[in-house]
């Protein structure tokens, strides 16, 4: 019996999930459904990572114990996974893994013990005790090397994490080390011998060069007095395991590694190795550290580690709680159909690359591809079968005498259309197996377009007026119905509910989720089958009205579970709604004294340059009529070449509290219009000549 095991990362239990987290679950769920559809026994894991300093801090901030904090987040997670149809009762995940499960403690202790007895490929002890001295980022749960942080402006201050833009913690304590430096050759051999082990190719190259550049030993424990919320090191309870060491191990403890009960219930032997789906930001842990731990413990390597890109907001910044620009799941769930969200996520993000998420894009795609595309094709076909064929699938065959009339009407020859649809099915499967979901969906929509065109050319509503055209009318509706049946089976993993609906409405009695698309044969929609009542699949969304309503929303979960408050104010349309916006129907006026608090001045750009490692920021100096030009940071680097700005007159908020970004102080803010879905900045400027420093009133 073939089996398959797919995992998402386990999510930190410090704050509630957002679109970035939902995305990997959708991808894993889609893969799992497709495997099950082909009759492969599949196990799908998701869950929460519940230990470590970050959870401890979130708990403290919210006045909870760490376990209460984790329970709170888990209850939100399970509520959301159910709402999105991703939990077990809806045919989604098989386990919601929690690292506070006692069986996880047992399994992870077993792995530690094995590694502590192991020798590296170079014959040394794999685990040793030493002293760690360095900087640690709590939100990343990672020690940072010099090129991974921004140095402080003032001596004595801690450096800042380049990802989270938060201060690092100084760590100086006794620690166990994993001798990672001895595993470089073995890891390189692994990547060489299994080219598909790390995907996509670009990520594999990155990982390879990271390892080829030389590895440092990894600190894998903290003293209990500094991090107590974790799994104790076996036989040395004054130490707790490094959270990543322990969290990665969940993939094997969940299915029975080091625990008899879990082994019997699920089966490590049965399901391991897994396909790990991860975001590119945590690839190193999965493609370097995890394989090295497994090598040391003598456990088989994962099937593959596949990294996807990040969802960024319309201004191009990664969506994250720390930055406060996330898409909240309860808002998403309230306004959009689950299948539309699933379709959008898989269609819009080219797997492996970053994708922009804005509600407006989601509405546009839902309206064009789903409401006007698949949904319309399905409802027009079924309605016409009801109307012209007494609600029964008509026969599709065309007699020799009828061929010419059918051809004239634009009805495709049966061989041509069935070849086209089978080819699309094969291509869909090929792209899907390479996780190129976006391209796979393009193939399917090629079928939607072709059948739609055939209907529009043949005009069944006209054919129905002429009894002599009955055969042609039947033929076009049969071809449309049969293509829809194929589409429903193909699309089931991506949009399970709607695919089942289409399938049922076509009068089919079996289950689209249990039909292997490779087994589809043209002609399976039997003539005479009674179709069922037609219900719309994807109602059109009124963009303006929905956008207004979304703006009036505030996430149900609010901010209370977030560990770190936003250190950078959000920009663009992806930002959290403010309290004022949360009261629908109330105009949120400010009075003139509020406006007078903002000092807007005319400025002239004197210098402009890019900042290393910050692809969105420009560093400007701007003359606003003061003795010295002001230094300003502006997130416009993707839209303006620095040289083109010199000499330009702009509008500056002059009394904004200075703040530091990437180690540079920004002494104000420039104003720009935010245009289009992407929130493209367009600088505010003047048509007439104005002196530097003039105040805008
Ligand atoms: N707890 C660790 C994972 C341990 S796995 C053994 C962790 N948790 S996380 O909650 O911070 O992130 C989990 C996943 O969510 C990562 O794969 C990360 O890439 C993904 N995402 C978080 N924000 C994201 C986007 N904006 N876009 C896409 N995925 C994102 O890391």
């Amino acid at each position: 019996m073939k089996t398959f095991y797919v995992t998402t990362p386990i999510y930190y239990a410090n704050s509630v999930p957002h679109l970035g987290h939902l995305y990997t679950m959708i991808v894993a769920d889609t893969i799992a459904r497709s495997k099950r559809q082909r009759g492969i026994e599949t196990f799908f894991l998701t869950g929460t990572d519940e230990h470590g300093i970050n959870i401890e801090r979130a708990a403290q901030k919210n006045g909870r114990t760490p376990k209460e904090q984790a329970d709170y987040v888990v209850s939100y997670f399970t509520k959301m996974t159910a709402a999105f149809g991703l939990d077990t009762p809806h045919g989604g995940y098989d386990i919601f893994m929690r690292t506070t499960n006692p069986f996880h403690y047992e399994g992870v202790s077993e792995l530690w013990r094995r590694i502590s007895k192991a020798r590296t490929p170079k014959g040394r002890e794999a685990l040793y005790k030493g002293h760690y001295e360095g900087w640690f980022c709590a939100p990343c749960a990672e020690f940072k090397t010099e090129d991974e942080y921004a140095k402080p402006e003032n001596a004595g201050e801690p450096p800042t994490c380049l990802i989270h833009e938060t201060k690092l913690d100084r760590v100086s304590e006794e620690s166990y080390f994993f001798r990672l430096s001895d595993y470089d050759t073995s890891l390189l051999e692994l990547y060489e011998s299994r080219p598909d082990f790390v995907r996509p190719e670009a990520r594999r190259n990155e990982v390879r060069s990271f390892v080829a550049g030389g590895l440092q030993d990894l600190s894998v424990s903290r003293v209990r007095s500094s991090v107590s919320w974790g799994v104790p090191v076996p036989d040395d309870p004054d130490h707790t395991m490094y959270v990543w060491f322990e969290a990665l191990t969940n993939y094997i403890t969940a299915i029975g590694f080091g625990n008899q009960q879990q082994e019997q219930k699920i089966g490590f032997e049965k399901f391991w190795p897994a396909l790990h789906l991860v975001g590119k930001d945590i690839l190193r842990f999965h493609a370097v550290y995890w394989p090295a731990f497994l090598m040391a413990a003598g456990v088989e390597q994962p099937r593959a580690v596949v990294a996807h890109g990040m969802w960024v907001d319309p201004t191009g910044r990664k969506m994250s709680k720390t930055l406060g620009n996330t898409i909240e799941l309860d808002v998403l769930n309230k306004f959009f159909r689950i299948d539309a969200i699933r379709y959008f996520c898989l269609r819009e993000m080219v797997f492996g690359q970053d994708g922009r998420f804005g509600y407006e894009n989601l509405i546009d795609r839902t309206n064009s591809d789903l409401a006007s595309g698949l949904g319309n094709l399905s409802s027009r076909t079924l309605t016409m079968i009801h109307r012209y064929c007494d609600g029964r699938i008509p026969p599709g065959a065309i007699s020799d005498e009828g061929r010419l009339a059918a051809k004239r009407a634009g009805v495709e020859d049966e061989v041509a259309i069935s070849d086209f649809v089978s080819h699309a099915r094969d291509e869909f499967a090929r792209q899907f197996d390479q996780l190129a979901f976006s391209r796979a969906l393009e193939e399917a929509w090629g079928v939607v377009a072709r059948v739609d065109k055939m209907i529009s050319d043949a005009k069944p509503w006209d054919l129905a007026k002429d009894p002599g055209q009955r055969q042609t009318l039947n033929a076009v509706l049969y071809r449309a119905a049969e293509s829809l049946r194929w589409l429903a089976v193909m699309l089931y993993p991506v949009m399970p509910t709607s695919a089942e609906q289409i399938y049922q409405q076509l009068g089919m009695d079996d289950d689209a989720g249990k039909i292997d698309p490779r087994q589809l044969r043209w002609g399976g929609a039997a003539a005479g089958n009674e179709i069922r009542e037609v219900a719309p699949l994807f109602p059109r969304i009124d963009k303006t009205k929905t956008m207004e309503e979304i703006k009036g929303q505030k996430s149900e979960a609010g901010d209370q579970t977030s560990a770190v408050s936003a250190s950078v104010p959000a920009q663009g349309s992806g930002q959290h709604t403010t309290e004022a916006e949360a009261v629908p129907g109330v105009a949120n006026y400010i009075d003139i004294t509020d406006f007078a608090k903002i000092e807007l001045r005319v400025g002239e750009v004197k210098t402009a340059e890019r900042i290393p490692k910050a692809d969105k920021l420009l560093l400007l100096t701007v003359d606003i009529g003061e003795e010295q030009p002001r230094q300003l940071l502006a997130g416009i680097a993707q839209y303006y070449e620095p040289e083109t700005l010199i000499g330009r007159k702009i509008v500056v908020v002059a009394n904004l509290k200075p703040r530091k970004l990437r180690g540079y102080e920004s002494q104000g803010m420039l104003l720009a219009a935010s245009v289009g879905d992407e929130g493209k900045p367009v600088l505010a400027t003047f048509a007439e000549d104005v002196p530097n420093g003039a105040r805008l009133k």
Side-chain angles (χ1 to χ4, degrees):
M1 178 69 183
K2 267 173 102 182
T3 63
F4 186 81
Y5 178 25
V6 60
T7 68
T8 73
I10 48 169
Y11 304 97
Y12 287 131
N14 61 336
S15 65
V16 298
H18 57 74
L19 174 80
H21 306 125
L22 181 76
Y23 172 66
T24 327
M25 284 193 254
I26 289 178
V27 175
D29 183 82
T30 304
I31 296 173
R33 284 176 199 268
S34 143
K35 296 286 175 190
R36 293 192 188 114
Q37 206 183 18
R38 298 182 200 178
I40 299 168
E41 192 176 351
T42 300
F43 195 77
F44 162 19
L45 170 146
T46 191
T48 37
D49 183 352
E50 304 189 4
H51 292 124
I53 191 75
N54 219 23
I55 317 292
E56 253 182 280
R57 285 186 186 157
Q60 231 164 33
K61 182 180 165 226
N62 297 314
R64 303 186 177 114
T65 65
K67 182 64 171 46
E68 283 167 356
Q69 169 68 25
D71 288 347
Y72 176 85
V73 172
V74 169
S75 70
Y76 187 81
F77 250 104
T78 41
K79 196 171 108 190
M80 275 301 143
T81 48
F84 281 92
L86 293 162
D87 61 348
T88 312
H90 292 90
Y93 60 70
D94 296 286
I95 188 169
F96 189 93
M97 178 61 183
R98 300 187 58 177
T99 53
T100 44
N101 281 331
F103 66 75
H104 176 67
Y105 278 56
E106 269 182 53
V108 82
S109 303
E110 167 66 19
L111 190 86
W112 182 283
R113 285 203 180 92
R114 282 207 201 176
I115 295 180
S116 66
K117 287 188 210 125
R119 296 265 153 190
T120 69
K122 295 179 185 160
R124 299 191 281 178
E125 286 175 321
L127 209 61
Y128 65 94
K129 221 175 200 180
H131 187 87
Y132 187 84
E133 185 82 44
W135 295 104
F136 186 78
C137 171
C140 293
E142 193 180 9
F143 292 106
K144 296 284 175 183
T145 53
E146 225 171 297
D147 55 348
E148 291 169 329
Y149 58 67
K151 295 213 175 69
E153 278 292 283
N154 307 315
E157 276 183 9
T160 311
C161 169
L162 288 181
I163 298 168
H164 290 93
E165 299 174 6
T166 47
K167 301 273 179 232
L168 301 183
D169 299 329
R170 183 77 191 160
V171 175
S172 169
E173 61 189 38
E174 187 182 61
S175 168
Y176 282 92
F177 283 84
F178 176 73
R179 206 181 297 274
L180 186 66
S181 56
D182 274 8
Y183 286 86
D184 49 356
T185 315
S186 309
L187 286 167
L188 290 170
E189 277 167 12
L190 170 68
Y191 310 141
E192 211 48 52
S193 62
R194 291 176 51 187
D196 272 355
F197 183 71
V198 181
R199 282 185 265 164
E201 171 101 37
R203 300 278 163 238
R204 170 174 176 251
N205 295 340
E206 261 170 40
V207 168
R208 224 174 19 188
S209 29
F210 174 76
V211 174
L215 295 171
Q216 287 180 9
D217 291 350
L218 189 70
S219 161
V220 285
S221 73
R222 297 292 302 270
V223 289
R224 207 152 69 92
S225 50
S226 55
V227 181
S228 60
W229 180 237
V231 181
V233 165
D235 312 316
D236 197 351
D238 286 344
H239 289 259
T240 46
M241 292 181 197
Y242 171 41
V243 63
W244 269 102
F245 176 90
E246 174 247 304
L248 287 161
T249 310
N250 96 89
Y251 299 132
I252 55 176
T253 61
I255 55 172
F257 178 87
N259 179 280
Q260 210 41 44
Q261 243 177 329
Q262 211 58 12
E263 168 63 28
Q264 270 159 16
K265 206 164 127 196
I266 299 163
F268 172 76
E269 291 301 328
K270 181 172 175 187
F271 285 108
W272 188 252
L275 173 85
H276 296 313
L277 293 173
V278 301
K280 65 180 182 187
D281 55 334
I282 57 169
L283 179 60
R284 187 187 300 173
F285 298 95
H286 286 81
V288 181
Y289 305 163
W290 178 227
F293 298 155
L294 292 172
M295 278 176 195
V299 177
E300 191 186 341
Q301 292 298 323
R303 181 188 291 262
V305 181
V306 185
H308 62 74
M310 294 291 116
W311 285 103
V312 298
D313 67 16
T315 64
R317 296 183 321 156
K318 181 189 158 191
M319 223 172 256
S320 81
K321 277 277 171 205
T322 321
L323 298 181
N325 60 348
T326 53
I327 297 282
E328 305 296 347
L329 299 192
D330 42 8
V331 177
L332 206 53
N333 190 249
K334 182 164 176 187
F335 291 97
F336 300 94
R337 297 211 163 187
I338 299 166
D339 282 349
I341 299 164
R342 292 173 70 106
Y343 172 77
F344 179 86
C345 285
L346 295 168
R347 177 70 182 79
E348 193 75 12
M349 190 187 261
V350 174
F351 198 81
Q353 292 173 26
D354 290 351
R356 272 177 208 257
F357 193 104
Y359 288 116
E360 291 183 339
N361 311 5
L362 172 56
I363 295 174
D364 289 342
R365 267 228 184 266
T366 305
N367 284 344
S368 64
D369 298 10
L370 300 178
S372 308
L374 179 67
N376 183 49
L377 175 65
S378 160
S379 69
R380 78 200 292 214
T381 303
L382 290 159
T383 309
M384 288 191 285
I385 293 177
H386 266 296
R387 195 167 295 157
Y388 307 134
C389 309
D390 242 358
R392 291 182 184 277
I393 306 260
I398 301 173
S399 61
D400 286 346
E401 307 82 72
R403 192 148 291 151
L404 191 62
K407 198 169 173 195
R408 272 207 200 110
V411 179
E412 293 200 50
D413 178 66
E414 192 140 32
V415 176
I417 181 104
S418 66
D419 278 357
F420 179 79
V421 179
S422 343
H423 178 74
R425 180 265 321 263
D426 295 343
E427 271 304 290
F428 181 90
R430 202 175 64 78
Q431 303 285 7
F432 192 100
D433 288 345
Q434 292 172 6
L435 310 183
F437 304 111
S438 184
R439 263 182 251 136
L441 289 167
E442 272 176 42
E443 287 294 333
W445 259 254
V447 175
V448 173
R450 180 129 166 194
V451 177
D452 236 356
K453 179 170 183 308
M454 182 174 63
I455 295 177
S456 302
D457 289 349
K459 301 188 185 60
W461 44 94
D462 285 344
L463 297 173
K465 291 178 196 149
D466 177 359
Q469 293 278 27
R470 168 51 61 181
Q471 207 179 45
T472 307
L473 173 66
N474 286 349
V476 66
L477 293 179
Y478 184 85
R479 283 153 181 65
E482 180 61 347
S483 304
L484 271 174
R485 186 178 72 93
W486 281 53
L487 282 170
V489 173
M490 272 154 70
L491 292 175
Y492 166 82
V494 176
M495 34 175 73
T497 311
S498 318
E500 286 284 13
Q501 264 176 299
I502 298 178
Y503 200 71
Q504 303 283 316
Q505 289 178 24
L506 283 166
M508 307 303 295
D509 287 325
D510 46 356
D511 179 354
K514 296 214 172 78
I515 297 167
D516 184 342
R518 292 168 305 185
Q519 309 294 329
L520 284 169
R521 296 286 169 265
W522 187 264
N529 248 15
E530 200 170 336
I531 62 166
R532 306 212 169 90
E533 203 180 318
V534 187
L537 298 170
F538 301 103
R540 266 197 96 69
I541 302 176
D542 179 333
K543 190 166 170 184
T544 317
K545 182 167 159 269
T546 308
M547 286 309 295
E548 296 257 292
E549 284 172 7
I550 290 174
K551 282 193 192 122
Q553 286 292 309
K554 191 160 169 64
S555 166
E556 193 188 304
D559 272 345
Q560 58 154 334
T561 49
S562 149
V564 208
S565 63
S567 56
V568 184
Q571 306 160 357
S573 62
Q575 70 190 43
H576 279 297
T577 44
T578 64
E579 210 61 64
E581 285 166 328
V583 189
V586 177
N588 300 302
Y589 295 123
I590 59 168
D591 64 30
I592 191 73
T593 54
D594 289 322
F595 176 69
K597 287 182 197 153
I598 304 170
E599 189 186 327
L600 298 173
R601 294 206 179 265
V602 175
E604 182 183 333
V605 180
K606 292 293 182 192
T607 63
E609 59 187 273
R610 293 186 186 275
I611 298 178
K613 288 194 185 161
D615 52 358
K616 297 181 189 82
L617 287 179
L618 288 186
L619 181 66
L620 311 176
T621 53
V622 182
D623 177 357
I624 60 163
E626 297 170 334
E627 251 174 43
Q628 293 285 328
R630 294 261 189 126
Q631 173 170 290
L632 250 66
L633 286 164
I636 56 173
Q638 289 172 314
Y639 299 93
Y640 285 94
E641 287 305 323
E643 332 48 276
T644 63
L645 293 173
I646 295 168
R648 223 175 132 151
K649 297 275 174 160
I650 57 170
V651 179
V652 174
V653 183
N655 61 342
L656 194 69
K657 190 172 165 202
R659 64 183 174 126
K660 240 181 227 163
L661 270 176
R662 303 284 165 120
Y664 297 91
E665 187 172 78
S666 187
Q667 303 154 336
M669 181 172 88
L670 54 74
L671 292 191
S674 175
V675 177
D677 286 341
E678 291 186 352
K680 178 183 166 196
V682 177
L683 290 177
T685 190
F686 300 91
E688 284 106 328
D689 198 22
V690 274
N692 297 345
R695 182 146 188 202
L696 280 83
K697 294 183 173 178

